[in-house]
Structures are given as structure tokens and as C-alpha cells.
Amino acid sequence: MASLIACPHCGPRPKEEFTVKGDAAIARPAADAGEDAWYAYVYLRDNPRGRHKEYWHHTSGCRRWLVVERDTLTHVVYSVSDASTQGGTA
Amino acid sequence: MVDFALLHRSALAGAKTGSFGAVSTGSRIALTALPEGHVLHVLAAHGSGALQSLVAQIGDGGPYAVRAYGPGQWFVVGDAALSAADLSGKAALLASRASIADQSHGRVRIAISGASVEAVLAKGTAVDLDQASFTIGHSAMTLIGHISALITRTGTDSFEVMVLRGFAESLWDDLIQMSLEFGVDASTAD
Ligand SMILES: [Zn+2]
């Protein structure tokens, strides 16, 4: 796993300061999408080899939710951004 | 009628004090428990814009009273205890653009200083403490070992560390341990 994450607010920090929530690419289904769609949304996850977008929480830093795009094979971190800039929900 | 009186007791009142470690004189570390005056957590309202100068107005005028924590969040600290009236006065100054959560009894400040202070703190955190990037007055929330703490540089050879009250004595012991190779003098107010 990538060991240094460049928090856009705090600068480079070790992964121990963060909590990983998981896949940031999945979309929440509509309320009436049906049981299969909701089952997939809640429980089913890919285990990608390569480029991957995840939610990371800077738990022991600024306490912001971030979106980290990284490679699970090479550990390269492509980008780190505040999660509020993705969906405009902050 | 209360069954027993609530007694305010300093978080580090029972912490170990004295001189520990190497008998060196040149680069000794001084560890000091600071007064449990006030610690205010200030949180910006959504879309309230730049607030740095507004937040500075609720500080006590001390040089490092306002400490940036994360986007739209600050800690405002000082040695004097605040009354409820003081607090509501400060809240009024913020004019609904930010709110105050009183953390005065929740977080504790420890001063640490000495020529080798950067080397001591670097044992616990990965933050670059060099003065070129961590300037006087700068703050960073980080881990010191397994304990979250806000580190603030107060001088070339001095820092303040603010920690959740329940972790204060553990961090105090850790800081003594981390300072042993240089020698350390630890003192609490009581
Ligand atoms: Zn951060």
C-alpha cells in the first residue's frame, strides 16, 4: 500500500494517519432500484489490480475525507483531492 | 443538591516530574505542563468564506493563540480560564459565521523545548519539523506515536503539543522517554 499520502491540506503524511473507507467510484442507486442493485452497492466490491479510486479519511490530521487515486500494483499515487470537490456535498 | 462536589483536577497533576536520562547540560529538553486555561474549537459555517482575521479577534492577543487545524477549523487557546459570559461574548463576535465548541476541559497543552527538540519530536511524527518548512507559529495535527496531537512551533527551539485530556499523561511519559538521550527536566504546575 502507498505509504505516503499527500493530503491537499496537510502535506505528505504516512498512511498510519489515515483510515481507508474503500471504493470511491461506486454510485448510490436510486431508492427504488431494487434489491439486487442495493445488495451490490452495499456488499459487492471489485478487487482491482492497478488504478483505483478510494475514500481516505485523514483521521489523525485535518479529519477531512479525501479521494485517493492510486495503483494497487505499483503503489503509485496519482492524485489526492478533498472529497467535497468531487460531489459538491460538503 | 449534588451527591458530591465536582473537583477540577489538572490532567497532569499526577504525572511524573523531575530530571531523567542523560546528565548532559547542552541540549537538555524541558517539558512543562501549561495552564489549563481555555481551548476553543472554532468551526466555520458552510460557505462562510475566509475567516482567519475574524477568528483572530476571539483570541487573547497572545502570539500563537489561533492555531489552524484543518480547512475551516481552528483552535484558539490561552492561559486564562473563561466564564460562560466570556464565551458567549466571543460567540457573538463570530456573528454566526463560525461556531465555538469549548474544549477547555478536553484538551491539554504541553510545552517542550531545548536545542534538540526537533530530534525528540521527530521520533514520534513524520511531519517535517525543520524550521524552513515548519515556521514559528505554524501548527500541524498529526500522530505522535499512536496519539493524535496538535504540534505548534513557538520558537526556534520550542514547541507546544496539544493532546486530548485522557491521553495527556501517556503522551507526557512518551515525551520523557523520547528525550532520555538528551536528558529531560519535566515539571507540572502543581
Ligand atoms: Zn489532512
Side-chain angles (χ1 to χ4, degrees):
Chain A
M1 185 179 283
S3 55
L4 276 181
I5 298 295
C7 174
H9 310 298
C10 306
R13 297 296 183 91
K15 71 178 192 317
E16 286 75 14
E17 292 191 1
F18 298 84
T19 308
V20 187
K21 162 95 188 314
D23 198 340
I26 49 172
R28 186 182 174 88
D32 59 358
E35 198 173 315
D36 287 351
W38 274 97
Y39 180 84
Y41 173 70
V42 175
Y43 295 111
L44 301 184
R45 294 294 179 270
D46 293 334
N47 185 17
R49 181 175 186 268
R51 207 160 171 143
H52 189 39
K53 258 188 180 177
E54 287 169 323
Y55 285 117
W56 286 51
H57 187 237
H58 197 181
T59 317
S60 294
C62 60
R63 300 194 63 82
R64 295 290 294 186
W65 280 101
L66 310 174
V67 173
V68 175
E69 189 167 13
R70 67 183 185 95
D71 194 304
T72 59
L73 182 65
T74 63
H75 305 308
V76 170
V77 175
Y78 296 105
S79 68
V80 185
S81 55
D82 192 285
S84 69
T85 62
Q86 306 273 319
T89 52
Chain B
M1 163 120 188
V2 293
D3 292 331
F4 55 91
L6 289 175
L7 186 67
H8 180 66
R9 181 177 168 280
S10 148
L12 290 167
K16 66 178 178 184
T17 55
S19 297
F20 307 94
V23 290
S24 68
T25 50
S27 58
R28 293 188 73 77
I29 293 293
L31 202 59
T32 312
L34 294 173
E36 291 181 17
H38 63 273
V39 177
L40 309 178
H41 186 190
V42 178
L43 299 108
H46 182 54
S48 52
L51 291 181
Q52 187 68 38
S53 57
L54 183 65
V55 174
Q57 290 177 35
I58 70 164
D60 64 2
Y64 316 112
V66 177
R67 298 171 183 189
Y69 169 22
Q73 294 192 60
W74 299 266
F75 281 111
V76 177
V77 307
D79 290 347
L82 298 179
S83 67
D86 293 334
L87 268 177
S88 52
K90 288 178 186 296
L93 279 175
L94 294 176
S96 302
R97 294 178 67 198
S99 48
I100 297 174
D102 184 10
Q103 288 282 307
S104 305
H105 296 163
R107 293 180 195 250
V108 171
R109 290 182 297 135
I110 297 168
I112 182 167
S113 62
S116 44
V117 66
E118 284 178 17
V120 170
L121 291 175
K123 294 177 184 180
T125 176
V127 170
D128 182 1
L129 297 166
D130 189 273
Q131 199 170 339
S133 52
F134 205 115
T135 54
I136 294 173
H138 184 73
S139 290
M141 182 66 84
T142 183
L143 281 179
I144 298 179
H146 293 285
I147 299 175
S148 282
L150 183 77
I151 300 177
T152 302
R153 181 174 222 122
T154 55
T156 300
D157 292 331
S158 58
F159 288 84
E160 266 187 41
V161 179
M162 187 162 71
V163 62
L164 284 166
R165 181 187 177 90
F167 289 100
E169 195 167 344
S170 293
L171 184 63
W172 181 266
D173 289 343
D174 287 351
L175 291 171
I176 289 175
Q177 189 74 27
M178 289 150 68
S179 303
L180 289 180
E181 64 171 303
F182 305 106
V184 52
D185 306 302
S187 63
T188 58
D190 308 303

